[in-house]
Amino acid sequence: MSTEIKLSQSTAIRLEQARGKGMSEADILKAIQAKDVAAFDSVSEEHYRYDTFFSYADEHGENLEGAVRNGYRITFNTRGGLGIWLEKAFNLQADKDFAVGEGIITGLQLTAEQAKVLEQRLAWNWVITEALEVPAGRELTLKLRALV
C-alpha cells in the first residue's frame, strides 16, 4: 500500500501559490490545522482563491498537513495546469522560462534540487524524457506519457 500523499492539481497549485507568495510553512500548517480560509487572503489571486480549499480536500481525502510536511504527488496534470504549477512552484514564467506545446514542455531549467522536487510531484501521466546538465542545474523536457 502506497503511503504517498496525493493532491489534485488544483490543490497543489494553491499550496505552491501560498509558498511562492511568502507564506511560511509554519503559517500554512497553522491555517490548515485551524481550517482558516482567511489566513490565505493575502496570497489569494483572482483565479486561485481558497474558498473551497478545505472542503475540497476533505471531500477528496487530501491530507493537506501531510503534503506540507512530507511532500506529495499530483494525481493528474493537464498541460496548462502543469505549466501553472511550474510557475507557482518555481517562480517561473511560461514562454519565458519554458515552452508549453501540445503534450510537451521544453527548455525547463531547474536547479538539481528543484528537478528532484518536480520528479516527486509530477503526475503519472507526464514523464521527464530528457535531462541535460547545464550550469544552473538541469534542462528538462517533459512529455505526456501517452506520447512517449
Side-chain angles (χ1 to χ4, degrees):
M1 182 173 146
S2 175
T3 58
E4 186 173 65
I5 294 169
K6 302 213 169 143
L7 294 182
S8 69
Q9 177 175 272
S10 177
T11 299
I13 287 171
R14 282 166 179 77
L15 186 58
E16 298 306 334
Q17 176 175 297
R19 286 176 168 154
K21 288 192 166 213
M23 212 171 160
S24 71
E25 186 167 307
D27 286 342
I28 293 170
L29 285 169
K30 184 178 173 185
I32 288 170
Q33 290 162 349
K35 293 193 177 192
D36 181 7
V37 173
F40 293 100
D41 285 352
S42 65
V43 298
S44 190
E45 294 179 358
E46 181 181 352
H47 297 292
Y48 296 102
R49 298 194 183 284
Y50 292 81
D51 302 351
T52 61
F53 187 61
F54 297 116
S55 60
Y56 183 91
D58 288 344
E59 185 178 326
H60 293 88
E62 294 182 334
N63 179 351
L64 297 174
E65 186 174 345
V68 171
R69 292 185 190 279
N70 305 313
Y72 60 88
R73 180 166 304 276
I74 300 170
T75 55
F76 186 87
N77 284 121
T78 63
R79 173 178 55 118
L82 178 53
I84 292 166
W85 184 86
L86 291 168
E87 290 174 352
K88 305 285 185 193
F90 303 121
N91 194 28
L92 302 174
Q93 288 183 306
D95 299 327
K96 179 182 174 219
D97 298 311
F98 59 93
V100 179
E102 288 299 320
I104 189 169
I105 292 179
T106 57
L108 176 63
Q109 289 195 17
L110 299 176
T111 66
E113 184 178 311
Q114 289 172 325
K116 185 174 180 174
V117 168
L118 174 63
E119 289 172 18
Q120 294 167 346
R121 307 279 188 268
L122 194 62
W124 64 270
N125 63 315
W126 284 82
V127 292
I128 298 170
T129 58
E130 207 173 315
L132 304 172
E133 297 296 323
V134 295
R138 295 195 179 104
E139 183 172 319
L140 305 173
T141 298
L142 312 176
K143 288 185 181 176
L144 270 171
R145 184 175 298 276
L147 301 177
V148 178

